Structures are given as C-alpha cells and as structure tokens.
C-alpha cells in the first residue's frame, strides 16, 4: 500500500524521490528521444504529481532533483520570465564585401595588429535564438531571447525538440545558446494542415518556429517538429581556445551544429558568402545570411561591445531575393468554403536557384493597390516567405488593370462580400463544382477521413468523369464499377483499384472527432472537434446542442458557437449527415474507464492560478476522467476548482450553490 505523501518521513521521501526521478528520466527518454512511450500520459502525470508533492512537503529535497523540471508550462496564461545570466545580444549587419572589409580592419585596429586573423564562418539560421542551461547534465531551464535581458521560460517546450539532448556528459553548470528553427518541410506541412482546418497561415518558417516554441502547452511544440542548431557555450571551464573548437565540443555533447568553416582573409569570407548563397536553395531549413566570428575566444573577450553588439562578430545578410518577370495570367481559385483567391501565373523565373511560376495576390484589394494587369512586367520578392509576392509593376503592358469577376469562375454564381471581410466568396456552397472538388479533397485528406490513394488529382478526375458528385459518393465508388471500371482507367489497374476500395472499406467506421473535422465547419479543426466530441459524445446530441451549450464550452467563442449551431440547422447539412450515417458508422471512444471518479460526466470550471500544475494539465486530467471543462459558470456547472487569486467566478459559484473544490482537494481527488 502506497503511503500518502503526508505520512512520508524524510528518508523514505528521499528514496522515493530518487526512484521517481529515475523513472521519469526513463520515460522522458522514451517519449522525447525515442517517441515510444510505454505508459499513458495520465500515468506519467501521476508520477510527476507525486514527485511535486514530495518536493512540496520536503523542499530541502528539491536540490537533489537535478532534472528539477517544473510541471508543464506556467500557469498564468503567459509564459513566465527568466533573466539571462549574460545578456543575449545581437549582431551588427553587413550587406556588402566592403562592410566585411571594414569589419576586419576594425577588429585588426582594436587588437593593434596587421596580422591575418582567423574567423569562424557559420550559416545564419533564420529562426529565433534560445538559451538552455544545464546542470549535472540535465536541462535546468531554457529561455527565449526576449528583450536580450529577460526572456520567456520555454523549458518544457525546448525539451520536446529532438535536436536538444536531454542529458549531456558535462557535470557543472553550462549554458548553450543556439537557434530554434522550423525545417521547411515541417513548415509546408503545418501550413497545409492549418489551411485545411481554416486557421491563419504562418508567413514564414521563422514566425512558425517562434509561434511553436512559445506555447503554453509543450505538446503543441512537440507536434511542430522544430530543430535546434547550437553555436555558443558559456559558463564552462573548458580549456577551449577558439569558436571552431566550441562547435566541435557542442557536437561532442550531442548537439546539432550547422556547417562552419575557418577563414583567414576577406577573400575567404566573401567566398563563404557566395558558396552559402549557392547552397541555400538545397538546404532543408531557411538561412538569411552568414555569421563571421573572430575565432580566438581570448581576442573576442578583448574586443568588448559597442552598444548591444559584440565587436568580434558580424552578420552578413543576403540580399532579398528579387527577380523580374511577366504576369501571364491571373487565375481565380475557389476554396472549399467558397473563398476566392487570385494567383498570378508568371513566366517562370529563377529566384536564387528555385524556379518560380506563381505568386500570391491574397485578394483583389491588393491587385488594385498595385495596379496589376495581365502582361505587365513585375518585380517579385521572396524574403523569408516561401511563396513569393509581387512587390511592384515595373513595366506596364497597357492592358487594363485586372478587375474582380462578378461571378464564380466555376459555377457562375454571383460572388458576394460578407460584411467586414475583404475576400470575395462564391455563395453556392452546395452546387459549385470547384467548391465540391475542394471539399471532397478535404473530406478524404489525412486529418479527415484519411483515405490513402485519394488526393486532389484523383478527386478532380473522378469528379470530372461523374464518378463522384458529393463526398458521400466516395463510399459508393465500387457500385459505379459496373458502368466504368476504375481498373481500366489510364493510370489505374486492378491492383491499385482494389487497394483504393480496401482503403475505403477500412473507413466504414469513423471516430466522431474525425467526422466533425471532415464536416468542414469554418474554424473547426482537430482541437475543437475533439472538444465537441468529448462533450456531446454522439453526433445526434451535437446536432441538437443549443447555442448556450456550445458557448459554455471552454475554447469556443460566441462566433464559433453561432457558426456551429447554424451549421447543424442547415437542411443540406442535416441531409448530408443522415446519408453519411447510412454509409459509415460514427463512433465515440470513451477514454474513461473509471466511472467512479469524482469528475466523471461532470462539467468543471477552473478559476484562479493553480500552483502544482498548469491549467492545461489540470484540464487534460479531468477530461481524461470523463469531465468536460467550461469557461463560464452557469446552472449546469457541477464543480468549480479554485486556485490562488480566483476571479469573480468564485463569487458566482457561491451564489449558484455550485460545488467548490480547493486545489489541495482537487489534487487528492485526481490521484484517487
Ligand atoms: S551568434 C551576440 N551565430 O542571428 C549574438 N547568431 O542577428 C551572437 N543567428 O540573435 C549570436 N544564426 O538569433 C549567431 N550561427 C549563428 C546564428 C545566429 C542565426 C541569429 C541569432 C542572433 C541573430 C543576430
């Protein structure tokens, strides 16, 4: 029988704490490094909670805990702050060989030497810098640069990055700095997924990396596949003389480092810039220049700083990638929600190694602002953003400025502009062929029904042939075999046709949350779908949900609640769901086994700051015990969990006679 923490004596507590630490390390390694967890998140949380409780009862033992990790992210809704041991400064920029020459001369002048100096040349990774402090070989904390003096605590987030070793073979305290970045492929996939889920796209991998690192929920960071390149060490007594050796040592500790090269002259520096620029299009991550650091660390120290820049290093910034080309056409795309997007079709042009033939135009306001006509010569620019944009017309063709169509290019319906929105929409949501194709493609995509073998191209073809008219026809494809066998269609054969049919059969049972995502309700992606599924548990109840039930759900705003409510009142949607149910079983997997839990089936509201675990963790835990979490108190609320400095919710709960649970009691109950 396990003793409660309150009953534990110091020595027992110490032994248990050490064993818990070992256990947690083991599971951290499985989870973060090997991506093969052996225990559920719930079990893991229990271990961590126990560890925290012991530490809370015996604060002296905290020092023992070298991996001393705070549980999850800070509780307040914003990341907490960390003051850097040494300021995280920035670098002076160079834009030409002349600037580099001046830099070398300045350094020589300061050191009072005319000797050839050595420089370590590195790639300038386009991400955000971060500092990670280790002690006893474990991460103690990690912080973003912030304003250079105070950064944000991203300890838990940093630990999810595979490039960051969770243990290093160095016993004393040591600080590692480097760049957190998002690989281009992860960026493209993330934006694709966000588009499918109706979320705002990230403009470039740097923004995406910053947004992904600075998350309260480290699970989100983990799902974003960030990378980390280390380039700096501080606070260690290493007997290392040069930056090149620093890079070697970082590698030995298990960090990833980007390429570096020893340079002896201005010619070497210029050559490094040229070579790097040439390699740039083939790199799996974005770089925006090169960094040159005086190789000798002793010399670096002697040079000191000007303002916030060290004199020993300089950042050479690549020129923005610009090119001129002709606008051959302006294509009008219709998205699955009916949104109209103009895209410039360009005469293919080489932009620093990559051939570019399309540029985004966002919306018609932009065309008008820039006065773009088909046939014009335009300047395009790619700066950090993966999709180039037109910055200006450089030569007019004399053609008329492109004007917005009045009707949908696909179905001819009159386009409309919703109040307050810039974009135009095709309102023919149920009859427009292009919208149908886009929707069906979405419906079969990975985050929805996930039918391998069916991509945009196949959907387009099937639609054009009349094989499918609506998303539901996917499940009737086989019946259509009689008229037009898929196996004899060019590009298909017996085997691939059978494979597709098998894949479709595998989807005759779909989870409620997936089905909700696949409905394509604007703004409803995986997270909200899960929330809805957990709360309503079957499609019928969700369809019947009142606006008030939806607004109550934590994470749903008024507008979204309205959108969802209206969606389920639309006749065509009702028919679609009815028909779908005849073809596919929609199931909801209860994640809870323990229906005796105090939280099972309850509606819970949190207020105030919890000290032992983050709000997010608390939510996850009660959800895993069968509760749903609401943001506001109402007559339906069952329990209000109260932390420090509770807001007016506590007041309201008292008024309504809702059960109030203090944090201590809450922790005890979730451990039962
Ligand atoms: S060294 C005193 N090395 O560029 C600052 N920085 O413009 C020392 N960066 O804030 C930084 N790659 O975020 C250094 N190989 C590299 C880098 C690099 C990217 C970023 C870093 C820094 C900014 C300076």
């Amino acid at each position: 029988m396990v003793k409660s923490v309150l009953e534990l004596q110091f020595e027992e507590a110490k032994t248990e704490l050490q064993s818990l630490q070992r256990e947690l390390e083991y599971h951290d390694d499985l989870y973060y490094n090997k991506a093969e967890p052996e225990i559920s998140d719930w079990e893991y949380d229990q271990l961590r909670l126990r560890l925290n409780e012991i530490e809370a009862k015996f604060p002296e033992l905290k020092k023992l805990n070298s991996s001393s990790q705070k549980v999850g992210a800070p509780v307040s809704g914003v990341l907490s702050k960390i003051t850097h041991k040494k300021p995280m400064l920035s670098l002076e920029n160079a834009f030409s060989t002349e600037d580099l020459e001046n830099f070398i001369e300045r350094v020589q002048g300061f050191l009072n030497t005319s000797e050839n100096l050595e420089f370590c040349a590195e790639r300038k990774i386009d991400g955000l810098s971060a500092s990670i402090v280790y002690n006893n070989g474990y991460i103690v904390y990690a912080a973003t640069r912030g304003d250079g003096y105070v950064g944000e605590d991203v300890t838990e987030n940093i630990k999810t990055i595979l490039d960051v070793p969770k243990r290093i073979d160095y016993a004393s305290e040591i600080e590692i700095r480097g760049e957190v970045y998002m690989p281009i492929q992860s960026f493209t996939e993330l934006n694709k997924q966000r588009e499918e889920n109706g979320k705002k796209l990230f403009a470039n991998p740097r923004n995406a990396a910053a947004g992904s690192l600075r998350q309260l929920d480290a699970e989100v960071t983990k799902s974003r596949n960030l990378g980390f390149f280390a380039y700096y060490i501080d606070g260690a007594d290493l007997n290392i003389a040069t930056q090149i050796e620093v890079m070697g040592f970082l590698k030995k500790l298990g960090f990833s480092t980007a390429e570096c090269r020893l340079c002896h002259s201005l010619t070497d520096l210029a050559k490094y810039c040229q070579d790097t620029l040439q390699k740039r299009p083939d790199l799996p991550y974005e770089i925006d220049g090169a960094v040159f650091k005086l190789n000798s660390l002793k010399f670096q120290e002697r040079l000191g700083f000007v303002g916030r820049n060290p004199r020993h290093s300089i950042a050479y910034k690549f020129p923005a990638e610009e090119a001129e080309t002709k606008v051959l056409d302006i294509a009008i795309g219709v998205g699955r929600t009916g949104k109209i997007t103009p895209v410039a079709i360009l005469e293919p042009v080489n932009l620093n190694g990559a051939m570019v033939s399309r540029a985004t135009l966002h919306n018609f306001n932009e065309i008008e602002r820039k006065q773009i006509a088909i046939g014009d010569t335009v300047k395009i620019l790619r700066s950090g953003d993966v999709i180039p944009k037109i910055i200006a017309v450089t030569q007019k063709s004399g053609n008329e400025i492109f004007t917005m169509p009045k009707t949908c290019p696909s179905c001819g319906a009159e386009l409309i502009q919703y109040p307050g929105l810039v974009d135009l929409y095709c309102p023919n949501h149920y009859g427009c062929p292009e919208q149908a194709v886009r929707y069906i493609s979405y419906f079969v995509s990975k985050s929805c029904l996930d039918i391998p073998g069916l991509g945009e191209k196949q959907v387009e073809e099937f639609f054009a042939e009349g094989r499918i008219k609506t998303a539901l026809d996917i499940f009737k494809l086989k019946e259509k075999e009689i008229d037009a066998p898929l196996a004899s269609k060019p590009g298909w054969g017996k085997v691939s046709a059978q494979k597709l049919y098998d894949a479709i059969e595998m989807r005759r049972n779909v989870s409620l949350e997936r089905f909700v995502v696949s409905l394509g309700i604007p703004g409803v992606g995986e997270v909200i779908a899960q929330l809805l599924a957990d709360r309503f548990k079957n499609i019928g109840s969700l369809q019947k949900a009142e606006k008030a039930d939806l607004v109550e759900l934590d994470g749903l705003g008024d507008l979204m609640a309205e959108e969802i409510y209206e969606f389920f009142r639309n006749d065509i949607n009702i028919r679609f769901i009815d028909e779908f149910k005849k073809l596919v079983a929609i199931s909801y997997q209860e994640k809870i086994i323990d229906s005796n839990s105090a939280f099972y089936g309850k509606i819970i509201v949190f207020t105030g700051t919890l000290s032992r675990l983050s709000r997010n963790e608390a939510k996850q835990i009660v959800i895993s015990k069968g509760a749903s979490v609401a943001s506001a108190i109402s007559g339906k609320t069952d329990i209000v969990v109260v932390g420090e400095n509770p807001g007016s919710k506590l007041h309201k709960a008292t008024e309504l006679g809702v059960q109030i649970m203090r944090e201590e009691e809450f922790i005890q109950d979730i451990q039962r």
Side-chain angles (χ1 to χ4, degrees):
M1 181 70 196
V2 182
K3 275 190 184 168
S4 90
V5 170
L6 290 174
E7 291 165 331
L8 282 183
Q9 298 302 311
F10 185 84
E11 278 308 314
E12 284 174 302
K14 187 172 164 188
T15 317
E16 187 178 341
L17 191 82
Q18 283 170 335
S19 118
L20 275 169
Q21 280 168 15
R22 273 195 302 274
E23 218 173 325
L24 282 163
E25 256 166 46
Y26 171 70
H27 291 300
D28 278 343
D29 181 52
L30 287 176
Y31 186 78
Y32 291 126
N33 297 332
K34 309 207 167 73
E36 278 172 356
E38 282 174 4
I39 57 173
S40 68
D41 290 0
W42 161 249
E43 288 165 299
Y44 180 89
D45 286 339
Q46 295 311 302
L47 293 175
R48 231 184 227 304
L49 280 170
R50 176 94 183 163
L51 177 130
N52 287 347
E53 269 207 281
I54 297 178
E55 281 188 346
K57 188 178 172 208
F58 302 100
E60 322 83 286
L61 285 176
K62 221 171 182 169
K63 285 188 244 91
L64 266 183
N65 185 4
S66 50
S67 61
S68 182
Q69 299 136 328
K70 283 160 255 109
V71 175
V75 290
S76 59
V78 281
L79 295 160
S80 57
K81 302 280 186 274
I82 285 182
T83 304
H84 298 299
K85 288 171 183 293
K86 269 195 194 163
M88 289 182 82
L89 304 169
S90 62
L91 296 175
E92 187 194 339
N93 288 329
F95 298 98
S96 62
T97 318
E98 206 185 327
D99 289 348
L100 292 177
E101 192 174 6
N102 289 337
F103 163 68
I104 297 179
E105 279 172 11
R106 242 187 357 251
V107 174
Q108 281 174 329
F110 254 91
L111 295 171
N112 201 12
T113 171
S114 53
E115 265 178 51
N116 266 359
L117 293 167
E118 283 184 344
F119 292 93
C120 173
E122 297 170 24
R123 291 173 181 161
K124 187 168 181 328
I125 316 295
D126 201 5
L128 69 153
S129 50
S131 139
I132 313 171
V133 174
Y134 288 78
N135 199 358
N136 275 331
Y138 290 96
I139 297 175
V140 185
Y141 65 83
T144 60
R145 188 174 101 146
D147 65 2
Y149 299 94
V150 178
E152 284 172 315
D153 183 346
V154 285
T155 313
E156 296 307 316
N157 315 65
I158 280 280
K159 286 180 188 165
T160 68
I161 302 178
L162 293 178
D163 285 335
V164 174
K166 307 308 163 294
R167 268 209 79 158
I168 57 170
D169 188 13
Y170 189 80
S172 319
E173 187 168 282
I174 185 171
E175 178 178 357
I176 310 293
R177 290 181 183 176
E179 204 79 355
V180 173
Y181 67 95
M182 184 177 281
I184 296 171
Q185 197 186 342
S186 311
F187 169 73
T188 316
E189 280 164 15
L190 173 65
N191 260 357
K192 190 165 170 251
Q193 216 179 56
R194 289 178 75 87
E195 191 166 20
E196 282 174 5
N197 290 337
K199 289 192 186 148
K200 202 167 172 284
L201 302 190
F202 285 112
N204 52 50
R206 184 190 51 246
N207 290 359
S212 304
L213 183 68
R214 301 171 58 249
Q215 288 279 340
L216 283 175
D217 184 355
E219 277 301 302
V220 177
T221 311
K222 187 176 175 221
S223 71
R224 300 282 172 85
N225 303 315
L226 298 175
F228 180 78
F229 281 126
Y231 50 62
Y232 174 87
I233 300 179
D234 192 57
D237 186 13
L238 291 172
N239 205 12
I240 280 181
T242 65
Q243 172 65 13
I244 292 275
E245 288 172 52
V246 165
M247 298 295 266
F249 187 71
L250 284 166
K251 238 190 215 159
K252 231 172 75 191
L253 286 180
F255 288 94
S256 300
T257 53
E259 177 211 67
C260 63
R261 186 195 292 177
L262 189 60
C263 295
H264 299 92
S265 62
L266 177 64
T267 321
D268 284 359
L269 263 53
K271 177 86 173 41
Y272 184 78
C273 292
Q274 234 176 29
D275 291 351
T276 311
L277 196 54
Q278 226 163 40
K279 286 185 196 157
R280 185 186 193 186
D282 300 321
L283 294 177
Y285 49 88
E286 295 255 324
I287 57 172
D288 59 342
V291 177
F292 299 106
K293 303 174 182 174
L294 191 59
N295 197 30
S296 154
L297 300 185
K298 213 162 52 206
F299 283 174
Q300 282 198 7
E301 210 165 305
R302 270 177 56 194
L303 280 171
F305 303 88
V306 225
R308 299 185 60 179
N309 301 331
R311 286 199 183 86
H312 56 70
S313 299
I314 198 157
Y316 171 80
K317 297 281 276 258
F318 289 146
E321 302 167 74
E322 278 180 12
E324 269 192 352
T325 185
K326 222 179 192 166
V327 178
L328 299 179
D329 198 1
I330 292 179
I332 308 293
V334 188
R336 75 177 155 85
T337 58
K339 189 166 122 181
I340 304 287
T341 10
V343 176
I345 309 294
L346 307 170
E347 205 168 77
V349 62
N350 190 322
L351 205 55
N352 278 348
M355 289 308 280
V356 169
S357 57
R358 291 163 89 85
T360 40
L361 287 165
H362 302 293
N363 54 49
F364 288 96
N365 282 7
E366 188 168 321
I367 298 180
E368 194 153 71
R369 216 174 39 244
K370 293 181 181 154
Q371 296 280 296
I372 300 167
I374 295 172
D376 285 358
T377 303
V378 289
K379 187 184 261 184
I380 58 168
L381 174 122
R382 179 185 169 274
S383 67
D385 307 288
V386 168
I387 310 157
K389 42 182 175 243
I390 293 179
I391 39 172
V393 173
T394 50
Q395 207 182 326
K396 289 235 153 273
S397 57
N399 295 337
E400 274 188 39
I401 307 304
F402 189 82
T403 48
M404 40 183 166
K406 297 264 177 295
T407 54
C408 172
S410 174
C411 70
E414 206 164 306
L415 298 180
I416 55 165
Q417 195 162 16
Y418 291 110
L421 297 181
V422 226
D423 297 305
L424 285 172
Y425 279 82
C426 164
N428 186 10
H429 297 314
Y430 303 98
C432 173
E434 179 98 11
Q435 271 190 70
V437 169
R438 295 281 90 80
Y439 173 66
I440 302 168
S441 305
Y442 168 77
F443 182 79
V444 296
S445 70
K446 222 170 162 88
S447 45
C448 300
L449 268 283
D450 187 18
I451 301 180
L454 265 189
E456 290 229 328
K457 184 172 160 269
Q458 290 77 17
V459 169
E460 261 166 32
E461 282 180 17
F462 287 4
F463 190 87
E465 293 160 359
R467 224 176 260 277
I468 51 173
K469 288 196 177 66
T470 74
L472 297 174
D473 290 341
I474 299 283
F475 291 96
K476 301 175 189 160
L477 258 180
K478 201 166 182 183
E479 295 160 27
K480 303 242 166 156
E481 265 290 22
I482 306 130
D483 315 330
L486 185 58
S488 48
K489 191 175 136 56
W492 290 78
K494 251 193 172 144
V495 177
S496 51
Q498 193 52 47
K499 233 173 147 173
L500 177 63
Y501 293 142
D502 290 347
I504 293 169
E505 284 317 301
M506 294 277 289
R507 297 294 183 265
R508 292 279 177 188
N509 196 323
V510 66
S511 70
L512 178 58
E513 55 275 20
R514 255 180 200 277
F515 177 61
V516 174
V517 177
S518 71
L519 286 172
I521 310 169
V524 178
E526 284 165 50
V527 176
I528 296 200
Q530 188 68 56
L531 202 69
L532 294 170
D534 289 339
R535 168 73 177 83
F536 296 101
K537 303 201 174 3
N538 65 66
I539 186 70
S541 310
L542 172 59
Q543 283 181 278
K544 277 188 245 126
E546 289 299 329
K547 244 182 262 183
D549 298 327
L550 293 163
V551 172
E552 249 184 25
L553 273 182
D554 199 18
L556 275 197
D558 284 359
L559 278 178
M560 185 84 82
E562 173 89 26
E563 184 96 55
I564 296 168
Y565 177 82
E566 292 302 336
F567 182 92
F568 289 116
R569 300 295 169 294
N570 177 298
D571 282 344
I572 297 176
N573 296 337
I574 296 172
R575 226 177 36 230
F576 179 86
I577 296 169
D578 284 347
E579 290 298 313
F580 184 89
K581 285 196 293 195
K582 288 183 199 156
L583 298 161
V584 180
I586 308 170
S587 58
Y588 174 71
Q589 187 75 43
E590 286 278 355
K591 287 170 207 66
I592 321 98
I593 316 115
D594 179 16
S595 56
N596 294 323
S597 155
F599 303 101
Y600 182 78
K602 298 281 166 64
I603 297 179
I604 297 180
V605 172
F606 287 93
T607 179
T609 310
L610 300 176
S611 62
R612 304 278 201 83
L613 69 178
S614 74
R615 171 83 64 99
N616 226 335
E617 278 168 316
K619 272 189 201 171
Q620 295 310 320
I621 292 172
V622 294
I623 289 170
S624 75
K625 288 184 164 271
S628 44
V629 178
S631 55
I633 300 209
S634 73
K636 290 194 184 140
T637 314
D638 294 302
I639 303 171
V640 178
V641 178
V642 183
E644 274 169 53
N645 303 322
S648 58
K649 286 180 196 162
L650 177 58
H651 210 76
K652 187 151 185 210
T654 322
E655 260 173 33
L656 291 174
V658 176
Q659 183 191 346
I660 291 166
M661 203 180 255
R662 298 268 161 203
E663 183 174 352
E664 276 305 309
E665 196 186 337
F666 173 70
I667 301 266
Q668 267 170 27
D669 277 7
I670 54 178
Q671 290 177 337
R672 272 202 190 118

